[in-house]
Amino acid sequence: MPTTHVEGPQHRLQVIARVLTGVVGVWAFTWAFAAFGVAALYALGMDFHQAEGTLYVVGFLLFLCLFLWTFATRHLAAVAVCLLAGTALLTAAAWLIQQSVVA
């Protein structure tokens, strides 16, 4: 049975890109999701610390799923775009909710 083991500079760059996307990109998305979730739950009347604790648990599971997705997919660019766009949208939404709660 033939193997598809590839080595070299190109392969190393692909591995580094996956690791950086998996750690930094997924962390940023999870942070934005948690900020959005806490702001939304607080705006809906939940206690801040209860919302924060809830989103810590959900955020951990989300991080794990997204991290695994980063390594399971063949299309890393699509994952990176989804993470970047999602992070931007969730951060903007969290900021808007926080501004409406403070005002």
Side-chain angles (χ1 to χ4, degrees), residues 6-17:
V6 180
E7 290 187 24
Q10 184 68 20
H11 178 69
R12 286 190 182 113
L13 287 176
Q14 290 173 353
V15 170
I16 290 170

Side-chain angles (χ1 to χ4, degrees), residues 20-34 59 63 66-67 83 87:
L20 285 176
T21 303
V23 174
V24 177
V26 172
W27 177 83
F29 184 90
T30 304
W31 176 85
F33 177 81
F63 184 92
L66 291 175
F67 185 79
L83 291 174
T87 300

Side-chain angles (χ1 to χ4, degrees), residues 4-87:
T4 58
H5 184 71
V6 180
E7 290 187 24
Q10 184 68 20
H11 178 69
R12 286 190 182 113
L13 287 176
Q14 290 173 353
V15 170
I16 290 170
R18 282 195 188 271
V19 170
L20 285 176
T21 303
V23 174
V24 177
V26 172
W27 177 83
F29 184 90
T30 304
W31 176 85
F33 177 81
F36 171 75
V38 169
L41 290 176
Y42 183 76
L44 292 172
M46 185 182 274
D47 179 58
F48 175 78
H49 295 292
Q50 187 177 5
E52 189 179 36
T54 301
L55 266 296
Y56 282 159
V57 173
V58 174
F60 174 75
L61 297 173
L62 178 67
F63 184 92
L64 178 62
C65 291
L66 291 175
F67 185 79
L68 292 175
W69 178 44
T70 302
F71 286 92
T73 187
R74 291 182 183 209
H75 306 288
L76 184 61
V79 174
V81 167
C82 288
L83 291 174
L84 185 62
T87 300

